[in-house]
Amino acid sequence: MTDATSGGLSAAAQPKSSLLQPSRLMKKRNAAETRFKAYGIAAIVLSLATLGFMLVTIFSDGVSSFFQAKLSFPVELTARTLDPKGNRDRADMVKITTLGYNKVLAVAFEKELAARGIAIEGQSAKDVVEMISKDAAGSLRATVLANPSLVGSTLDATVLATGRIDGYLKGRVTMQTAERDSNVTPAQLQLADKLREAGMLTSSFNWGFLTMPDASDQRPEAAGLGVAILGSAYMMLLVLVTCVPVGVAASIYLEEFAPKNFWTDAIEVNISNLAAVPSIVFGILGLAIFINFAGMPNSSTLVGALVLSLMTLPTIIIATRSAIKAVPPSIRDAALGIGASKMQSVFHHVLPLAMPGILTGTILGLASALGETAPLLLIGMVAFVDNYPAAPMEGFLDPATALPVQVYGWAQRADPAFIERSSGAIIVLLVFLVAMNVLAILLRRRFERRW
Amino acid sequence: MTVLFLLIVVAVLAGAAFVLCRQRVMASVQGDPKLLHSLPMYYGWNGTIMVLLPALGGLVLWLLIQPMVIEGRIAAALPPDMMAAGGSMDLVMSDVRRVAGGLDVAVSTGAMTAQQAATISTESANIRDTLAAVGVALGADVSPAVLSAAQDYRVMTAWGMMGRTILTVLLALGGLIYAVMITNRDFRARNRVEAAVKGLLIAASSIAVLTTVGIVYSMLTETLNFFAQYPFQGFFFSLTWSPNFRGDSELGILPLIWGTLYITLISMLVSVPIGLYAAIYLAEYASKSVRAWVKPLIEVIAGIPTVVFGLFALVTVGPMLRDYFAEPLGWGDSGSSVMTAGLVIGILNIPFISSLSDDIINSVPQSLRDGSLGLGATRSETIRQVVLPAALPGIVGACLMAASRAIGETMIVVMGAGAAAKLSLNPFEAMTTMTVKIVGQLTGDTDFAAPETLVAFALGMTLFVITLALNIVALLIVRKYREQYD
Amino acid sequence: MNDMRTLERIVNSEAIKISARNVQVHYGTTQAIKDLNVDILDKTVTAFIGPSGCGKSTFLRCLNRMNDTIESCRVTGQIMMDGANIYDPRIDPVQLRARVGMVFQKPNPFPKSIYDNVAYGPKIHGLTRNKAELDEIVETSIRKAALWNEVKDRLQSPGTGLSGGQQQRLCIARAIATGPEVLLMDEPCSALDPIATAQVEELIDELRAQFSVVIVTHSMQQAARVSQRTAFFHLGSLVETGETGQIFTSPKDPRTEAYITGRIG
């Protein structure tokens, strides 16, 4: 160790300042430290603020879709228009289209206005009647056809107001915007004010938003999430049924039985790569294989569920494998030690112990499948569907749509009332997602086991 | 017999096999299960498996092969001038199937007797009107060739159904008899059942591989179809994207790649610094309680569906950028823009980068931090000069994965980036990406013979290859990095 | 102890470098150090010995405030260095650590080149004006750490590629390069083989010419070989401190005696 003694410039020869006096360099370094830390806080604050901002805008846009302006007035179901033959026979009454019911509604509405002494200043009768949603005639017709004996009586009807009147009550439509809008006039809005004073126009909770099917471009007020919720529920059910057994079986094989060979490696590499494949590619797969090749019906929940299953499979496999891995080998040894076969030790001991972890992973996988949109667009689920799918088994082949796809579909429409619906649909979607995540957290808390 | 009924028959046979095998083995030991090799239940299950496996296998094979065989024979029987006049084989075949289906409906509703359906000819009746009456609408009058092909099709399908039923039931019965025959007290039923279960497990885990094969196969064949109709030089090197369903489209991918990369670049400029600084703060500065709250909150972002971000881009971010930046600065008046989509994808990727980086930073050994702090380095100096360089490979890997997610992101660009394929540097201009065009070309009415539709598969293939390559590189980097500290 | 060399050592300085008074350390609710008083002399090797968990490493980490990096750790009392209490709120721990260097149990070279490892401290503390000066500090420090001959031809290769003993000497060189006045060593040889241990011990002896060295060790032989003064810790308190020869030959406290004769430990 001779070189240790050589002199040279000694670092120790630096002038010593008092420890209590921070040097100028030290002040600079501390400032840099403070800045660096501030960047970190800023990054977190920024991302959380953006998240908050996004949620607040969506909620403030969307909450109003849960309320709906409705007009209530007595409607005389004139037999002359609705049942010209007068025999109350449903088969004959079916021939009366919504046009006939429109007439009935218009007459009744004008009559009620006159009865209440609400003046219609400077408006044509047509303008006044147009405040009633185009959906109203259809729903009235359905009511009457369901019960033909109603004809001739007077019904206390509550019908939807048009989207613009609804928007006026919610503050989205104002006198200023109405002047530039071809679909509504300021006079209609003034009339709406009077109707509201008279108690004919009220805003109430909009159950229809959750139950009704989608509606066409002219009737945003009638558009609901019924088909979308049902479609999403069907798909989640099918994903659960197809994806979980396959995912769990694959995980058991890979964790417990797989020999170290080429095929196992191929599977492993495939799983980790599939987890990173863009979701739209799964849509292409669904379109090419399930629809074009296998001839399954377009827009059906079955195809949607198969595509989502393939997408969710890697997530479930990864979660299940880590749950299986967490079961200590001593459990397996104990089972094997009393003469159980490998298969018995896995199915009788390892799998039940890993179940909570598998369940949690499954719920989280389902939650991400529930929010997936892009692949469903390619298999035609964005098409306009206003019929509910049938009950399960055949219903899985019926066209349907899904919650996130409905969000997209409405966002593409021109009428701003659909943006409100779109945000409302997001609220519903988020409620489901939050519920699933809370369930996963509760399960984890309840069953978490520390080895 | 319909498939469903056939399945029920097979299930019943399988149940019978369970009971028979179990009874037989119990009888062979006079009811004392201790003399058996396996539990009695396993003998039963073995019987069930022996019925289900061959029967279902045969059924699936038959279902796959029958349409191919029938359509091949029908096609061979059709006069060759049909193809030239009536367009492609697919269209003629779908006509044949439709007419045959219509005849089926007519027979089942009683509009026609089975005899009539088999002998009816175009001279004697107007098939189109007859079928329309039972609710099957045809696009055009039925030609004699199609009608006779449809009648042949019905005959062959009926024979096929018969053959299918016989084969399946025979296989099931054969399996049952074989299972009962081999069942005796020394038969190792458990091993047999376990081998079958293991086969099932292997099959399940092979689905991942099958999916990849399916993706590659479906995209590759259609991509090759596309390149048969459209020159690949035009696809890869043309600077113009203007599809035109009347033909003579220009389908150059370069503007789409440019849009994709531009948006990805902006998203990375947002997500990498924010995500990385957030991760650094959480890993190195935050107290336990702050971390316990903030980390899950940031990860909430990752749990929100992308369509929500898409709506946010469309309704809030786009108009805001347009009103406060683009228009005042004279850079454009479009709400959808590269900037809109890039910003929002950036936000979406923040939790991705931050949680991956957080893991990676945490796996840097504490001793390195101690070494640096012990020399009198401040925390930030320690992080910048010791921790980050040590974690760099992992962070690069995380960034590559984030980039691959941004490239493959669909909903945000569909709703926020616009649809015009442009090669422009102005980030406030609407541009478009590969994913937008895949959605655009494959939704709505599509004609799978036209290059304008098939190009979507070529785009998908390109997207798949790019993201796969990025992910593989990222995985290799991260794996190498893990080995360093494990 | 049969190694009588310790008796011949003389303590060559009586100047007190660090003096600790009434030091208490808590981790959360558990007390790790109780009411500790000790003086550490300049240009002397002081060994802290004692059974595992007795607080000697904790106390060592108090001397350059490394305990600040542990969230739950609380230190009370006074530790004076050159007349200033290092726990004074006006004291910047970063500046303190530049003057009280530390070498850790496990060699922890940064994943950088050998040169950059040693240059790291001088660079962050702004000790040099140019590259030539930095080169000189690096060379001097590596020479002082008795590593120069082994690494002079590969200064740009990564420090993690060295052998364990070389890595530890690199860490010592890294600590010396900032020009500390005190060098704290936390069981510096526990991860090394006997040959490397001998090299590091010899090095410690040479370093004492310039610094006050405090070494925590599990090995009583090592304490006897390298130190002039020894402090014996037991259950979080300082039992006895004195010249090494005296502690090992005629301990005053029965617990010390029990420990060095192997009855507790």
Side-chain angles (χ1 to χ4, degrees), chain A residues 198-232:
Chain A
M200 278 173 71
L201 178 64
T202 51
S203 184
S204 58
F205 190 79
N206 187 8
W207 283 111
F209 182 58
L210 296 176
T211 56
M212 286 192 301
D214 194 6
S216 63
D217 280 3
Q218 286 81 40
R219 299 180 290 138
E221 63 278 3
L225 286 170
V227 175
I229 292 177
L230 208 55
S232 277

Side-chain angles (χ1 to χ4, degrees), chain C residues 54-86:
Chain C
C54 64
K56 55 192 188 303
S57 285
T58 300
F59 181 63
L60 191 76
R61 290 170 70 95
C62 288
L63 296 180
N64 69 346
R65 293 186 59 176
M66 276 301 279
N67 280 336
D68 289 16
T69 61
I70 299 165
E71 215 176 301
S72 62
C73 183
R74 227 157 12 88
V75 180
T76 54
Q78 259 196 341
I79 298 178
M80 306 293 290
M81 178 173 141
D82 293 341
N85 180 6
I86 64 172

Side-chain angles (χ1 to χ4, degrees), chain A residues 1 6 16-17 25 29-30, chain C residues 92 99 125 140 143 146 181:
Chain A
M1 304 267 154
S6 62
K16 293 285 174 226
S17 56
L25 176 67
R29 288 171 62 197
N30 281 337
Chain C
D92 191 330
R99 292 161 67 162
H125 293 295
T140 320
R143 276 187 194 281
E181 296 151 40

Side-chain angles (χ1 to χ4, degrees), chain B residues 216-228:
Chain B
V216 173
Y217 171 80
S218 62
M219 290 201 298
L220 207 58
T221 49
E222 301 288 8
T223 304
L224 291 178
N225 279 345
F226 170 68
F227 284 129

